[in-house]
């Protein structure tokens, strides 16, 4: 997998090939090539912080952006320290389907996997 920084400020979030392929597929279904995958953390959830992962057409001041072979992953400046070294993956199995985030900065998480501290 080739990844290069497209902006001066990059982030330490990585994305697996499976997740990048799913993002490309979703964007193709929507007929959009102007959307980026945005990952951020917000206060909330049962463990203190909650992940937000969604498509966004905006670029905000201070955003850190990395391009993974055409899939742009954006992290806002406040979330960068919480997500350094995190990896976005996608699973499509009987047990689990959807995007997951493996974050080495999380000291604990809740059973649902959406919240961490």
């Amino acid at each position: 997998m080739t990844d290069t920084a497209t902006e001066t400020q990059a982030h330490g979030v990585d994305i697996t090939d499976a997740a990048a392929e799913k993002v490309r597929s979703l964007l193709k279904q929507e007929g959009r090539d102007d959307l980026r995958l945005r990952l951020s953390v917000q206060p909330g959830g049962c463990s203190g912080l909650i992940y937000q992962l969604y498509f966004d057409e905006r670029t905000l001041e201070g955003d850190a952006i990395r391009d993974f072979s055409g899939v742009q992953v954006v992290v806002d400046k406040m979330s960068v320290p919480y997500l350094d070294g995190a990896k976005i993956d996608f699973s499509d199995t009987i047990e689990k389907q959807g995007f997951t985030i493996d974050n080495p900065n999380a000291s604990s998480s809740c059973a649902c996997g959406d919240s961490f501290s």
Side-chain angles (χ1 to χ4, degrees):
M1 172 180 12
T2 306
D3 59 301
T4 56
T6 58
E7 300 288 325
T8 346
Q9 183 180 0
H11 55 72
V13 175
D14 202 1
I15 187 170
T16 65
D17 291 337
E21 187 55 40
K22 184 61 178 180
V23 169
R24 282 187 206 93
S25 172
L26 291 170
L27 291 174
K28 187 175 182 180
Q29 280 180 347
E30 292 295 317
R32 302 279 303 260
D33 61 0
D34 62 332
L35 298 176
R36 297 163 192 83
L37 186 64
R38 181 175 292 276
L39 175 61
S40 65
V41 295
Q42 299 292 321
C46 48
S47 293
L49 294 171
I50 191 164
Y51 297 111
Q52 292 190 327
L53 184 67
Y54 58 96
F55 289 117
D56 196 352
E57 59 190 16
R58 303 167 301 147
T59 302
L60 306 173
E61 185 177 334
D63 277 349
I65 303 172
R66 284 179 67 189
D67 186 277
F68 297 89
S69 302
V71 173
Q72 289 189 337
V73 177
V74 180
V75 178
D76 66 89
K77 66 182 176 182
M78 298 301 287
S79 298
V80 167
Y82 295 103
L83 297 169
D84 189 39
K87 183 176 281 193
I88 303 168
D89 195 6
F90 182 80
S91 296
D92 190 5
T93 64
I94 292 173
E95 299 87 23
K96 183 192 312 184
Q97 182 180 30
F99 289 97
T100 59
I101 299 162
D102 180 22
N103 187 353
N105 301 302
S107 58
S108 66
S109 62
C110 64
C112 69
D114 293 332
S115 181
F116 72 100
S117 63

